Amino acid sequence: MWGLLPLAVVQVALFVVPLAIMFVYSFWTTRNYQIVPEWTLANYRAFFESWTYPGVLLRTLGMSVVITVLSLLMAYPLAYFIVRYTRRWQTVLLAAVILSFWTSGLLRAYAWMALLGHGGIINKGLRAMGLIEDPLPFLVYSPFAVVLVMTYFSLPFAVISIYASLEKMDWSLVGAASDLGASPWRAFWHVTLPQTMPGVVSAAVLTFVPLVGMFFVPLLVGSASSVVIAPLIANQMQAFQLGLGAALSFIVALVVMIALAASWRYLDLGRMER
Amino acid sequence: MSAGPGDAARPSAAIELRGVSKRFEQVVALDRVDLSVRKGEFFSLLGPSGCGKSTTLNLIGGFETATSGTLLIDGKPMGDTPAHLRPVNTVFQSYALFPHMSVIENVEFGLRMKGVPAPERRRAAAEMLHLVSLDGMEDRRPRQLSGGQRQRVALARALVNHPAVLLLDEPLGALDLKLRKHMQTELSRLQRKVGITFVYVTHDQEEALAMSDRIAVMDRGCVLQVGTPTEIYAEPADPFVMEFIGSPNVFRGRIEAVAGGGAEIAVDEIGRVRGRMIGDIRPGGQATVMVRPERVRLSATPPPASASQVTGRVAKVANLGFITHYFVRLSERQDALAYRLNDVDGGAEIRFDEGQQVHVWWDEGDARVFPADAGRSASASIRTRACETRERPG
């Protein structure tokens, strides 16, 4: 038990303390661009007063869910293919998936702009082929662009986590299912998917949690209709509205914690079943 | 072999293999195997690891595809029929129970795939669990069960579908000896009760002898002999079969004389021994003589002149309770092993001590003489087929 002490210290210092400070700040008053220790509910009232903040938060969550689902839908077949149908290429393919971590996210976001932008490769190409006259309006500076680029950012996390559970899968169970009359699809549905569900859930958590805090991609490729919560919080902080910023942050943290708690049970259960 | 409708089903055969071969790249796992399993029998495929018995089972189950040959189940050619459409079920060596399902959900699975309504399949599954004495375990998870219980769940899960044939892949391998013996009896009882054809793969000769109606002894991708346990034990058609089942005394030597179904073989440093000829034996050739330890007799006085005899010194006596094993040193290189049942009445049986000189002998009819090259071909007329014609993979 005492061996866990350093870990606990780090956790307290880097997670609990900042969160506690944020929590306290969210109940303090901001006056003359300074946070002063006067207790108030004004910051939370400000959140619920207009539709702006809840709306942005809901949109952020909605987009995060969509991106998470898309990532899972793409990651599962990819991970499945890597585990089942490759042998010598397995390491290479996995490395290719991880490779994208080696470059700065900002750089990759700009690279996407070079692809999607009005003067980007796709629009230019389509124009050269005479398929379009004007740049496709939805390709960039749109929710579509945000979802596309963020899905690309999330995919490696999802692939690795699902790969890990597929790799541990006991494939004789699939043989048993087909022996008992299950077609390949039904064997997948009744055996493979439930057996790898812990990996799917952890993939969902690993993609969803960072997505709620997505920051620069919506700023770069998004539009006014795809404003998300993180830049909004940054705005408050930069405008010395520390109290409101803290309240927003805490609400987001709460949402994330609820999502984690919901999946925790499943993750734990999945571990027990093995 | 015409493909007429009348020919398709020989109704007594649950499974038929006609010239089935299986090749894995450079390795021939099965070499033109012919087999016929009768309906309702307990049929064992017996052989050492790598003999092709598991491959045979996988072919029947649909987990492997034959390189050539025909497989019929219930008279219907299987061709490329995938596993999930075959009328067979399997008890896997590792059991392969679904860990995320309860015991009853595991047992129900096959019926669920068939679209049997929930109440009906639940009833059938519960009945089957009763049959394997697992009442009250319905809601447990596989990981909460002992090895023996898991084994029963695997059995119930397969049997509940009433397959034309149940395939069992060394299902008792993971159990300890006592439980294994118990499950052997249990399996035989169950098989008789449900009347389903069992094809049982094992490398354990005792297991095969104890449970089977018929046994196919396999080695290196070939079926060497098919017969009842008694036939396999008492009338081995092949030296491999004889050596694999039981632990016979083996002598190698030159054929000296042949007369009336018997042969006399000269064994270096030991002397002359006799036995019944199996296959093509000619004087001057090399031969292998095998005699089972329970057929070997020991005596202090010379045996009848007609018997085959050698002499030696008792090297070791091992009393195993109901039986005594005598190891008699015949030469520097060879011991003979003889079993003597320990007489319940005491007195009557003559005992020998270590170091004692004894006559070791047997009746001609109790030993079998195989040509030395019989490993593969000599007794082809009795064996299912000759194996030495195995092709080199191209």
Side-chain angles (χ1 to χ4, degrees):
Chain A
M1 271 313 262
W2 291 107
L4 292 174
L5 195 65
L7 192 70
V9 169
V10 170
Q11 276 292 320
V12 168
L14 298 181
F15 181 68
V16 179
V17 171
L19 205 70
I21 292 174
M22 200 58 71
F23 188 62
V24 172
Y25 275 11
S26 70
F27 290 102
W28 283 3
T29 312
T30 308
R31 187 174 302 142
N32 294 330
Y33 309 113
Q34 295 269 318
I35 191 98
V36 290
E38 279 172 32
W39 297 99
T40 176
L41 284 174
N43 297 320
Y44 286 95
R45 221 176 292 131
F47 179 85
F48 288 108
E49 233 157 37
S50 77
W51 182 240
T52 317
Y53 296 124
V56 170
L57 180 58
L58 280 179
R59 179 193 296 137
T60 309
L61 295 177
M63 284 171 75
S64 301
V65 168
V66 169
I67 295 161
T68 301
V69 170
L70 283 175
S71 303
L72 295 181
L73 286 179
M74 282 192 254
Y76 203 106
L78 182 55
Y80 191 92
F81 176 81
I82 292 175
V83 171
R84 286 296 260 173
Y85 300 108
T86 65
R87 205 163 282 272
R88 239 179 305 165
W89 290 97
Q90 204 160 92
T91 337
V92 176
L93 286 169
L94 273 181
V97 169
I98 300 168
L99 206 63
S100 61
F101 289 141
W102 292 6
T103 327
S104 119
L106 201 57
L107 205 67
R108 283 181 287 147
Y110 275 112
W112 272 102
M113 289 177 75
L115 290 174
L116 304 174
H118 290 170
I121 291 169
I122 295 173
N123 277 319
K124 266 190 182 161
L126 289 175
R127 212 161 347 168
M129 284 188 280
L131 291 172
I132 53 166
E133 298 256 313
D134 300 318
L136 292 172
F138 63 87
L139 265 191
V140 77
Y141 310 125
S142 66
F144 166 82
V146 176
V147 169
L148 178 66
V149 175
M150 283 315 294
T151 304
Y152 157 75
F153 274 42
S154 306
L155 202 56
F157 294 100
V159 170
I160 287 163
S161 158
I162 293 170
Y163 170 85
S165 70
L166 277 168
E167 228 272 316
K168 271 184 289 183
M169 171 83 193
D170 175 5
W171 297 103
S172 72
L173 298 178
V174 176
S178 71
D179 181 73
L180 292 164
S183 64
W185 272 112
R186 297 182 86 189
F188 173 80
W189 181 254
H190 290 290
V191 175
T192 312
L193 192 58
Q195 280 294 301
T196 53
M197 212 53 196
V200 174
V201 174
S202 76
V205 171
L206 277 176
T207 50
F208 180 78
V209 172
L211 279 169
V212 176
M214 62 181 153
F215 184 67
F216 60 84
V217 169
L219 287 181
L220 289 177
V221 303
S223 67
S225 60
S226 57
V227 173
V228 291
I229 196 79
L232 210 61
I233 295 173
N235 282 346
Q236 302 304 327
M237 298 298 194
Q238 278 153 10
F240 298 103
Q241 296 295 319
L242 226 50
L244 182 56
L248 290 178
S249 304
F250 196 74
I251 289 167
V252 171
L254 201 66
V255 168
V256 168
M257 280 190 280
I258 289 168
L260 278 177
S263 60
W264 191 258
R265 205 183 66 87
Y266 202 97
L267 280 177
D268 234 11
L269 201 74
R271 208 159 294 142
M272 272 167 53
E273 294 309 328
R274 202 157 290 131
Chain B
M1 241 179 264
S2 79
D7 181 64
R10 211 190 301 160
S12 62
I15 288 180
E16 216 176 323
L17 275 74
R18 292 182 190 155
V20 170
S21 295
K22 175 64 183 177
R23 206 172 278 175
F24 297 102
E25 288 172 23
Q26 294 299 301
V27 186
V28 180
L30 280 185
D31 190 10
R32 283 160 293 165
V33 164
D34 292 310
L35 259 188
S36 179
V37 179
R38 293 175 198 142
K39 262 183 195 161
E41 77 176 332
F42 196 127
F43 191 92
S44 289
L45 297 169
L46 174 65
S49 63
C51 72
K53 57 192 194 295
S54 291
T55 304
T56 307
L57 206 71
N58 287 338
L59 285 173
I60 299 170
F63 299 109
E64 310 267 10
T65 324
T67 313
S68 61
T70 315
L71 163 71
L72 299 103
I73 299 178
D74 247 356
K76 293 180 207 68
M78 283 295 120
D80 293 332
T81 309
H84 70 277
L85 298 178
R86 294 194 180 195
V88 299
N89 288 113
T90 308
V91 175
F92 296 91
Q93 190 170 12
S94 64
Y95 312 146
L97 300 177
F98 305 126
H100 58 288
M101 294 182 200
S102 66
V103 165
I104 191 114
E105 284 168 340
N106 263 282
V107 178
E108 275 182 300
F109 191 83
L111 297 175
R112 193 166 149 208
M113 292 301 109
K114 261 189 230 160
V116 176
E120 196 178 319
R121 67 180 193 237
R122 190 138 288 217
R123 200 174 334 112
E127 253 167 51
M128 199 45 79
L129 282 174
H130 173 72
L131 197 65
V132 297
S133 322
L134 281 179
D135 310 75
M137 299 285 181
E138 286 83 354
D139 297 322
R140 301 257 180 114
R141 298 273 160 163
R143 74 194 145 84
Q144 296 171 308
L145 303 180
S146 69
Q149 289 170 330
R150 281 178 209 188
Q151 217 271 323
R152 287 153 191 267
V153 176
L155 258 174
R157 184 177 71 172
L159 282 175
V160 78
N161 305 294
H162 293 287
V165 179
L166 183 73
L167 308 174
L168 302 103
D169 188 5
E170 309 220 16
L172 306 184
L175 305 179
D176 62 61
L177 187 67
K178 204 169 172 191
L179 193 53
R180 209 142 114 191
K181 297 270 176 211
H182 174 70
M183 282 308 293
Q184 285 178 14
T185 329
E186 193 73 7
L187 271 177
S188 303
R189 178 189 69 89
L190 205 61
Q191 195 266 340
R192 245 146 246 169
K193 190 151 183 178
V194 296
I196 290 172
T197 312
F198 277 29
V199 176
Y200 189 96
V201 159
T202 182
H203 65 268
D204 184 330
Q205 34 126 343
E206 228 181 287
E207 212 167 271
L209 291 173
M211 292 191 288
S212 318
D213 293 319
R214 288 196 307 152
I215 300 171
V217 183
M218 297 184 70
D219 182 40
R220 297 196 243 166
C222 298
V223 173
L224 299 180
Q225 188 175 359
V226 180
T228 64
T230 314
E231 284 167 358
I232 295 283
Y233 188 82
E235 305 285 326
D238 184 284
F240 178 86
V241 175
M242 182 147 184
E243 238 186 310
F244 189 72
I245 296 175
S247 32
N249 294 289
V250 181
F251 304 96
R252 289 175 219 286
R254 200 180 61 258
I255 302 159
E256 290 290 313
V258 169
E264 193 173 64
I265 286 53
V267 183
D268 284 351
E269 299 173 28
I270 291 178
R272 294 189 168 200
V273 295
R274 303 180 60 85
R276 247 174 66 215
M277 295 189 293
I278 309 297
D280 188 16
I281 307 271
R282 295 216 179 103
Q286 295 292 307
T288 306
V289 183
M290 295 196 204
V291 55
R292 297 207 185 275
E294 69 270 25
R295 299 290 184 185
V296 175
R297 299 168 200 220
L298 305 176
S299 62
T301 51
S306 66
S308 171
Q309 66 146 320
V310 292
T311 55
R313 193 174 45 77
V314 177
K316 189 173 158 46
V317 181
N319 190 331
L320 305 186
F322 69 103
I323 200 170
T324 302
H325 291 188
Y326 289 94
F327 297 87
V328 182
R329 176 125 301 188
L330 302 180
S331 74
E332 281 303 305
R333 277 180 295 169
Q334 191 147 23
D335 280 357
L337 173 60
Y339 296 161
R340 282 283 80 94
L341 265 183
N342 293 340
D343 193 341
V344 278
D345 301 324
E349 183 74 22
I350 301 157
R351 295 175 194 285
F352 300 95
D353 298 318
E354 288 177 15
Q356 199 175 337
Q357 285 291 129
V358 287
H359 293 272
V360 179
W361 58 280
W362 57 84
D363 288 332
E364 183 182 286
D366 285 341
R368 293 171 89 76
V369 182
F370 301 98
D373 58 352
R376 307 288 121 208
S377 71
S379 45
S381 55
I382 310 169
R383 274 193 350 225
T384 313
R385 33 162 278 91
C387 263
E388 41 121 57
T389 45
R390 173 177 324 208
E391 285 166 289
R392 287 247 153 261

